[in-house]
Amino acid sequence: MFNIRPYHPSDLTALYRICYRTNPNVRDGLEYRDPDLLGHMYAAPYVVFEPDLCFVLTHSGAPCGYVLGTRDSAAFARRCEAEWFLPLRERYPLPDPQDSSREAAAIRLIHQGHRTLEYPRHPAELHIDLLPIAQGQGQGQKMMIMFLNRLREIEIPGVHLGVGKANTGAVRFYERLGFKVLQEHELWWAYGLRLGETES
């Protein structure tokens, strides 16, 4: 049985695991020596700084997915620079420029920090990941609706997210929910959704 509930600090280890297992490289069988690298970037800072914007999907009580985000991605990026990435950069020094491993690429992202995408009409940001056991059963849409309703409750005007152009299933998923393209990049799209009003 599936259930969606608010995040609890005891979920943090599970969220790291879900973030890792849903990464495209890992899904293709390419393991990382340090599986926490991805969670350091894409999961943990969100639940540490804004836990009220994280919802966890469980199956028979075990976490199998999450949706999380931030009210203001620009302010969040600044806070991560001040409070999150500095100790991680000490723990993970920049790799040799010739190192082309997956681990090296992830560490370089930690040193790069969160990119600041300024969309004043869509200041919030979200990420959603589900393990295979939860996919294709409508759980993602339920989680998105819960997250978007939470943003409406706290009067956030809009939300954005990034999705790879190759991830056609995700593109269709977001477009069905009403997301529209805000900006095109080489390999990905920035999508946005206005909350509480018609998109224009």
Side-chain angles (χ1 to χ4, degrees), residues 150-161:
R150 173 60 181 155
L151 291 182
R152 292 185 178 99
E153 287 176 5
I154 58 177
E155 300 181 344
I156 302 300
V159 60
H160 70 270
L161 54 84

Side-chain angles (χ1 to χ4, degrees), residues 71-75 116-125 155-160 182-183 192-195 197 199:
R71 293 160 170 78
D72 183 326
S73 62
T116 302
L117 300 176
E118 299 279 357
Y119 301 119
R121 287 165 51 83
H122 305 80
E125 179 191 5
E155 300 181 344
I156 302 300
V159 60
H160 70 270
L182 298 177
Q183 190 174 14
L193 178 70
R194 292 287 290 168
L195 301 170
E197 64 178 66
E199 186 81 28

Side-chain angles (χ1 to χ4, degrees), residues 130-147:
L130 287 78
L131 293 176
I133 192 174
Q135 295 172 6
Q137 303 177 64
Q139 298 302 321
Q141 181 169 338
K142 292 177 183 177
M143 295 173 71
M144 288 288 290
I145 290 171
M146 183 172 290
F147 183 88

Side-chain angles (χ1 to χ4, degrees), residues 7 23 28 31 37 40 42 44 50 60 66 84 87 98 107 110 136-137 139-140 143 146 154 157 181 189 194 200:
Y7 167 80
N23 178 269
D28 291 340
E31 300 285 341
L37 281 169
H40 290 332
Y42 299 115
E50 299 189 59
S60 300
Y66 60 72
W84 185 256
Q98 303 304 314
I107 291 170
I110 288 173
Q137 303 177 64
Q139 298 302 321
M143 295 173 71
M146 183 172 290
I154 58 177
V181 174
W189 303 95
R194 292 287 290 168
S200 59

Side-chain angles (χ1 to χ4, degrees), residues 88-185:
L88 282 175
R89 289 166 185 162
E90 293 179 3
R91 177 177 171 185
Y92 299 101
L94 267 173
D96 185 282
Q98 303 304 314
D99 188 342
S100 60
S101 66
R102 294 178 299 282
E103 288 78 11
I107 291 170
R108 291 188 187 104
L109 285 176
I110 288 173
H111 282 261
Q112 174 183 316
H114 286 291
R115 59 177 178 257
T116 302
L117 300 176
E118 299 279 357
Y119 301 119
R121 287 165 51 83
H122 305 80
E125 179 191 5
L126 71 84
H127 298 274
I128 181 170
D129 286 307
L130 287 78
L131 293 176
I133 192 174
Q135 295 172 6
Q137 303 177 64
Q139 298 302 321
Q141 181 169 338
K142 292 177 183 177
M143 295 173 71
M144 288 288 290
I145 290 171
M146 183 172 290
F147 183 88
L148 296 174
N149 285 339
R150 173 60 181 155
L151 291 182
R152 292 185 178 99
E153 287 176 5
I154 58 177
E155 300 181 344
I156 302 300
V159 60
H160 70 270
L161 54 84
V163 58
K165 292 181 177 179
N167 194 349
T168 55
V171 168
R172 289 193 299 270
F173 172 73
Y174 295 126
E175 289 183 346
R176 284 197 302 269
L177 289 168
F179 282 79
K180 298 185 182 303
V181 174
L182 298 177
Q183 190 174 14
E184 181 178 2
H185 300 266

